[in-house]
Amino acid sequence: MAAAAPAAAAASSDAPAASATAEPEAGDEDSCEVRVLQSLRGKICEAKNLLPYLGPHKMRDCFCTINLDQEEVYRTQVVEKSLSPFFSEEFYFEIPRTFQYLSFYVYDKNVLQRDLRIGKVAIKKEDLCNHSGKETWFSLQPVDSNSEVQGKVHLELKLNELITENGTVCQQLVVHIKACHGLPLINGQSCDPYATVSLVGPSRNDQKKTKVKKKTSNPQFNEIFYFEVTRSSSYTRKSQFQVEEEDIEKLEIRIDLWNNGNLVQDVFLGEIKVPVNVLRTDSSHQAWYLLQPRDNGNKSSKTDDLGSLRLNICYTEDCVLPSEYYGPLKTLLLKSPDVQPISASAAYILSEICRDKNDAVLPLVRLLLHHDKLVPFATAVAELDLKDTQDANTIFRGNSLATRCLDEMMKIVGGHYLKVTLKPILDEICDSSKSCEIDPIKLKEGDNVENNKENLRYYVDKLFNTIVKSSMSCPTLMCDIFYSLRQMATQRFPNDPHVQYSAVSSFVFLRFFAVAVVSPHTFHLRPHHPDAQTIRTLTLISKTIQTLGTWGSLSKSKSSFKETFMCEFFKMFQEEGYIIAVKKFLDEISSTETKESSGTSEPVHLKEGEMYKRAQGRTRIGKKNFKKRWFCLTSRELTYHKQPGKFIERKDAIYTIPVKNILAVEKLEESSFNKKNMFQVIHTEKPLYVQANNCVEANEWIDVLCRVSRCNQNRLSFYHPSAYINGNWLCCQETSENTLGCKPCTAGVPADIQIDIDEDRETERIYSLFTLSLLKLQKMEEACGTIAVYQGPQKEPDDYSNFVIEDSVTTFKTIQQIKSVIEKLDEPHEKYRKKRSSSAKYGSKENPIVGKAS
């Protein structure tokens, strides 16, 4: 039995599971607790003007990938037969490791051969901030195998003095190649690396070679090579050995990393060049170097001919301090719902001074949600919206702070609601090839418009009926906010009997269901952006559902469609029954009455995907191997089986681990099976060893498994970071399979199972936004002073006319509090930055040398 067995759980803990973070920095007690968290969000929009095929069939089947250095972490759907493919795929993920380049590759799908890389966009990590939050067209650059590198090399150089047999004195250069770290996968597997070590000069090129290391991305070479550098005849021995600069100025050590191809060509992995004159002032030099592309790796005369790619990228790196530092800022933000007027609150002021309101909305909503303050805050900002609304038919149609907050709230808390309501029908639509085109201009040859209308009506009716019967599944938080919106709308427009419904339908139909239908991948209802025909079908369904919700709530006799064919189609739904169903549904989801429970709590679907698991039994040749399986995690159990989405006849074909039996979830060292991105699910039976497809996917699975099992009894305090193979644990060499783990389990930040909220991280993000917007905050403060002194019309309102300032005195006081809190938070941040820069010495593993040393 593995360390997960109850007998081995001598030391257990209820400590919450870890969220993936970078390794803590060395330093004092403050900096060692700092969590460095990286995330990337954005959108792969489209490509244009890609190179056509030569010949009659010029179109390509294209897809795009996102790579951290050379590791693929995301892939879009294939867009067929296009030289200007429209991807429109949004992405968000945590980045669990360091990286040098973020790259986007455009591929041409090839069924019979390897997919062809058309071109790439490669952005250095330090340059990502220049593109943050902006849609930008990037020219595709050529993909050259000599430029596709990642990883770093640990090297030591020494100069010794030797007296040869004939009595002459020479220099001996000692090159100790110690190790490499983070080499890329080759064809999805760890590589077989070796290094060539060369001493290069104007008249010499001496080369030596290390042994090949098998199946590893972090080879430990630990090999020493000697090169003699003869002194000139004029050299006379000195009492203290010194290096004469002119003797070595033109010499350099070059180390090339290769993957041993056995029967095929070796693959270049990168190189470094170190001038020997680094030993000018010291006889020893030791450092880590980042691998670099070859000098000619990116040379091309036709970089503009490959096409271009439109991207929206937002990279963030948050240095999250211990919780106690954020107390004052959190307190100030959480008071926001109680501030009168709401526009004078810290949360509202943040939204006013941010360059993009969306940057402020996400951390604010999550923080307020975590502390049950979102409903009163959303109600207050919605009331401010209503003051400026003159027409009941345009209620909550703008893009204000209120509507953005509610949009974000519905995405966060409504994910499971969408899955149980829409996913089965959306799967049916996306997996079906039924045509639903009803626009006569867009009909394909052989299409029957009447059949298409019937197909479309079938889907609309099925989706509509599912939605209007789903009120029992609507999250309580959404119902509470809908109730508040309904009451406020009725008070604002007391003579309009329909406004109580339109206030709710403008969110639940227009901004929730209709958006999820047309973009199922954005709400994690489908893995990818659908193909063109399916997008068209979903768009027609979304338009109809949206209009049914609005039409039903406003009781209009005419639809709002501009297209004649849609007006004709919608006549099928202009029946009293649809209006009654919509109003009944809206009544139910905006009621404060307690919902009747069905008696059974449905498990919450958390994550699913294809990964590799290590076989628990033995194969015919006596070795355990890895098999591809489809994993599915709910709030109750982790299951895996052979084929996704297929009916499985044999009951034992689905393997189940109850969540309550999970004792720990931790990373597994690569050396266990010579495989990257592995983790272990330690439970009451043998541990389950799983290999994810990339570091991001592994991080997400570890995170969600930790969260769902963090409150389990008998959680382990110690675990084995390596596997139990051939009668002993590889990490500690203990022979008993039941022995206590040799490493403490990772502790981390508590988080809700369904809503992953790290309040310290959200507060840190808000602190960063305030810091970036201090200039605008200062202008707002000056505007408050101006308004307070000069009552009445202003001569020059431009300085503050863009701010909402209802009460200048209260707003001024809040700004003063914000500035004070931010100044206090600046101190530990500055202290940490200094510690980090001093501890990460240039040339260390954490801060390797880039390019030639000097």
Side-chain angles (χ1 to χ4, degrees), residues 378-419:
T379 301
V381 292
E383 193 169 8
L384 190 60
D385 251 21
L386 282 171
K387 287 181 182 178
D388 297 327
T389 305
Q390 304 303 319
D391 183 358
N393 289 327
T394 62
I395 193 168
F396 299 129
R397 296 295 179 91
N399 208 11
S400 64
L401 176 61
T403 55
R404 292 185 195 194
C405 282
L406 292 177
D407 285 351
E408 201 57 53
M409 177 275 296
M410 290 190 294
K411 281 183 184 177
I412 295 170
V413 306
H416 181 61
Y417 180 31
L418 288 174
K419 278 190 173 73

Side-chain angles (χ1 to χ4, degrees), residues 33-104:
E33 295 177 32
V34 173
R35 294 178 293 134
V36 182
L37 304 171
Q38 306 174 96
S39 63
L40 185 73
R41 65 177 170 86
K43 186 176 184 178
I44 300 173
C45 304
E46 60 180 319
K48 68 178 181 182
N49 303 328
L50 300 182
L51 280 176
Y53 273 126
L54 297 176
H57 304 293
K58 297 184 178 182
M59 297 294 105
R60 295 181 182 271
D61 297 339
C62 301
F63 66 91
C64 188
T65 67
I66 303 176
N67 291 49
L68 296 175
D69 296 320
Q70 293 305 298
E71 182 180 15
E72 181 184 318
V73 295
Y74 183 86
R75 179 179 290 212
T76 69
Q77 181 73 292
V78 176
V79 178
E80 296 180 347
K81 297 180 176 60
S82 176
L83 297 178
S84 296
F86 185 75
F87 299 110
S88 188
E89 294 210 20
E90 295 181 358
F91 55 85
Y92 173 84
F93 48 81
E94 302 290 321
I95 301 177
R97 65 171 178 84
T98 58
F99 66 99
Q100 188 178 359
Y101 281 90
L102 175 71
S103 300
F104 298 81

Side-chain angles (χ1 to χ4, degrees), residues 478-712:
M478 288 173 62
C479 295
D480 290 344
I481 288 184
F482 292 156
Y483 173 78
S484 297
L485 295 177
R486 184 173 180 170
Q487 298 305 308
M488 287 189 297
T490 304
Q491 291 171 11
R492 177 70 179 83
F493 299 100
N495 298 322
D496 189 326
H498 305 296
V499 74
Q500 59 177 318
Y501 296 111
S502 58
V504 180
S505 68
S506 61
F507 285 102
V508 74
F509 277 103
L510 270 68
R511 294 174 175 269
F512 188 58
F513 285 123
V515 178
V517 168
V518 81
S519 303
H521 58 292
T522 304
F523 291 82
H524 309 292
L525 301 175
R526 294 288 296 177
H528 291 292
H529 190 69
D531 60 51
Q533 179 177 311
T534 307
I535 291 170
R536 178 62 178 164
T537 299
L538 294 174
T539 302
L540 295 172
I541 294 170
S542 178
K543 281 185 175 183
T544 312
I545 291 293
Q546 175 180 318
T547 307
L548 271 172
T550 308
W551 179 76
S553 64
L554 296 179
S555 190
K556 290 182 180 179
S557 57
K558 293 183 179 179
S559 68
S560 57
F561 290 115
K562 296 177 183 178
E563 306 98 331
T564 305
F565 64 89
M566 284 302 295
C567 290
E568 288 297 316
F569 175 68
F570 194 73
K571 288 178 181 178
M572 296 180 177
F573 303 95
Q574 289 179 324
E575 300 173 5
E576 190 67 21
Y578 288 99
I579 295 176
I580 293 170
V582 168
K583 288 185 174 180
K584 181 174 181 292
F585 170 67
L586 296 175
D587 282 335
E588 290 169 347
I589 64 170
S590 58
S591 169
T592 56
E593 294 178 8
T594 305
K595 299 178 187 178
E596 294 181 9
S597 174
S598 61
T600 58
S601 174
E602 286 293 321
V604 178
H605 178 279
L606 298 173
K607 189 169 179 60
E608 63 181 342
E610 199 168 57
M611 295 186 290
Y612 295 85
K613 63 164 282 290
R614 188 185 186 230
Q616 297 293 321
R618 289 192 171 272
T619 63
R620 291 178 184 175
I621 59 173
K623 292 184 179 180
K624 295 181 179 179
N625 57 11
F626 285 80
K627 297 178 180 179
K628 187 183 290 188
R629 293 291 183 265
W630 187 263
F631 287 77
C632 181
L633 176 66
T634 71
S635 53
R636 289 183 186 170
E637 60 189 20
L638 172 68
T639 60
Y640 57 90
H641 54 84
K642 285 185 178 180
Q643 292 177 303
K646 301 290 184 182
F647 177 75
I648 300 170
E649 296 179 3
R650 289 171 45 210
K651 192 172 182 179
D652 62 350
I654 300 181
Y655 298 88
T656 302
I657 300 174
V659 163
K660 64 182 180 181
N661 291 351
I662 295 176
L663 304 178
V665 182
E666 298 286 347
K667 290 181 180 178
L668 190 71
E669 290 180 353
E670 181 185 333
S671 57
S672 297
F673 302 105
N674 288 325
K675 292 181 181 292
K676 299 182 78 171
N677 305 317
M678 289 204 65
F679 63 93
Q680 52 183 320
V681 181
I682 307 171
H683 57 111
T684 49
E685 297 180 15
K686 285 185 177 293
L688 176 67
Y689 297 132
V690 183
Q691 183 187 25
N693 295 295
N694 55 65
C695 66
V696 170
E697 185 178 69
N699 180 59
E700 289 174 347
W701 274 101
I702 293 170
D703 183 55
V704 71
L705 282 163
C706 285
R707 283 189 286 114
V708 77
S709 62
R710 67 186 176 90
C711 295
N712 286 355

